[in-house]
Amino acid sequence: MSTSKEVNFDTSVLLNYVYAKLPGEIEEDKGSERLIENSDIYKVIGGKVSGEFERCCERRNKIYDDLLDWLEENPDLDIYDYDISQRDIQSSPNDTSHIRYDVQCGWGHEERRKQLSDFRRLSQNIETLQREIIESLIDKSYPESSNSKLKKELGDLDIDHDKDVIVDAVEIHKKDSIGILVAIDSDIVYNSDRINNRIQSIEGSKLKLQIMKADDV
């Protein structure tokens, strides 16, 4: 393989890439564009990341469509009056925070015409970017792995669903020796030493993930 580096991406890298590209400056690029668009890097994702990314994009797309409908139906109300918890739409706590702090704070000062225009573009572009990343920019997507012993060993760490990301990353490392896992502002970065201690207690001292922030790669 002629590529200089092989990396495994956490969901946060894919989402940062999407939001750095979408209109409205929702999120600044935190190193994801440089990595994802670099043809000299062999880029992979595990099954947990693949499914999580797809589900998040689908939820956000439906939320943007719902917000667009609400804006059109309520021309005299402020965008801050939109309450996702009162809408007949699926959302996660992260989605709620995203709408409150990224969307409503980001667009609260804009005229309704621009809000409508930008949300039409958001709805259209997020699906396009999701497809482009998976089909054109990621070199390989692995199936989701299962390792109940390791997952249990990681259980006392405050990394929530990222336990499954770690399990996938370990199996990818064992299968194809891709040991770099890249994330952005993620609990797995700040818990990297403790994570590797747990991994080595199950898999042996020779197996270690290099967990890095995107800006540091």
Side-chain angles (χ1 to χ4, degrees):
M1 187 177 295
S2 62
T3 50
S4 59
K5 192 178 290 290
E6 300 166 307
V7 299
N8 179 9
F9 289 143
D10 175 53
T11 315
S12 58
V13 179
L14 307 186
L15 289 175
N16 177 246
Y17 182 83
V18 167
Y19 280 109
K21 293 285 189 181
L22 288 174
E25 299 181 352
I26 294 175
E27 188 173 320
E28 65 178 7
D29 172 45
K30 298 178 181 178
S32 61
E33 289 187 45
R34 174 178 58 85
L35 294 178
I36 289 178
E37 295 177 357
N38 189 338
S39 59
D40 290 331
I41 295 177
Y42 186 75
K43 301 169 282 286
V44 308
I45 56 174
K48 176 64 176 181
V49 168
S50 177
E52 192 173 57
F53 178 60
E54 180 180 2
R55 288 189 295 273
C56 182
C57 288
E58 288 177 351
R59 283 198 320 272
R60 296 279 172 93
N61 196 12
K62 291 176 181 177
I63 290 169
Y64 299 148
D65 282 344
D66 184 68
L67 178 52
L68 179 60
D69 290 342
W70 185 90
L71 289 169
E72 291 175 332
E73 294 165 1
N74 299 279
D76 298 327
L77 294 181
D78 192 277
I79 194 172
Y80 289 104
D81 294 320
Y82 177 83
D83 185 352
I84 194 172
S85 67
Q86 301 301 313
R87 305 290 292 179
D88 185 21
I89 189 168
Q90 181 183 4
S91 62
S92 70
N94 283 339
D95 296 331
T96 301
S97 296
H98 168 63
I99 291 298
R100 172 57 65 185
Y101 297 109
D102 298 329
V103 173
Q104 291 174 310
C105 291
W107 272 271
H109 64 287
E110 300 288 358
E111 295 181 354
R112 182 55 51 93
R113 183 184 301 175
K114 178 166 174 51
Q115 291 173 351
L116 292 171
S117 174
D118 282 351
F119 276 98
R120 289 190 186 98
R121 291 169 60 202
L122 276 177
S123 181
Q124 294 166 357
N125 291 358
I126 192 169
E127 185 176 355
T128 300
L129 284 167
Q130 175 196 355
R131 186 169 58 249
E132 179 186 6
I133 289 173
I134 298 302
E135 295 180 0
S136 303
L137 297 174
I138 297 299
D139 295 295
K140 184 171 182 178
S141 180
Y142 289 79
E144 191 163 355
S145 302
S146 176
N147 187 329
S148 58
K149 288 184 178 180
L150 177 56
K151 190 170 181 179
K152 182 178 180 181
E153 187 71 17
L154 294 166
D156 66 326
L157 300 181
D158 187 22
I159 56 173
D160 195 29
H161 61 275
D162 285 333
K163 291 191 289 290
D164 294 307
V165 175
I166 297 299
V167 167
D168 281 349
V170 167
E171 295 305 310
I172 290 169
H173 190 3
K174 289 162 64 176
K175 180 179 176 63
D176 288 328
S177 300
I178 301 174
I180 298 176
L181 176 62
V182 181
I184 291 176
D185 296 339
S186 171
D187 290 334
I188 61 176
V189 174
Y190 306 116
N191 284 283
S192 59
D193 289 340
R194 299 176 70 196
I195 288 169
N196 274 308
N197 287 338
R198 302 299 198 281
I199 291 171
Q200 291 175 344
S201 72
I202 299 297
E203 301 292 342
S205 60
K206 291 184 178 180
L207 201 153
K208 182 178 181 179
L209 294 177
Q210 189 175 358
I211 304 173
M212 306 176 68
K213 292 175 65 175
D215 281 338
D216 294 333
V217 178

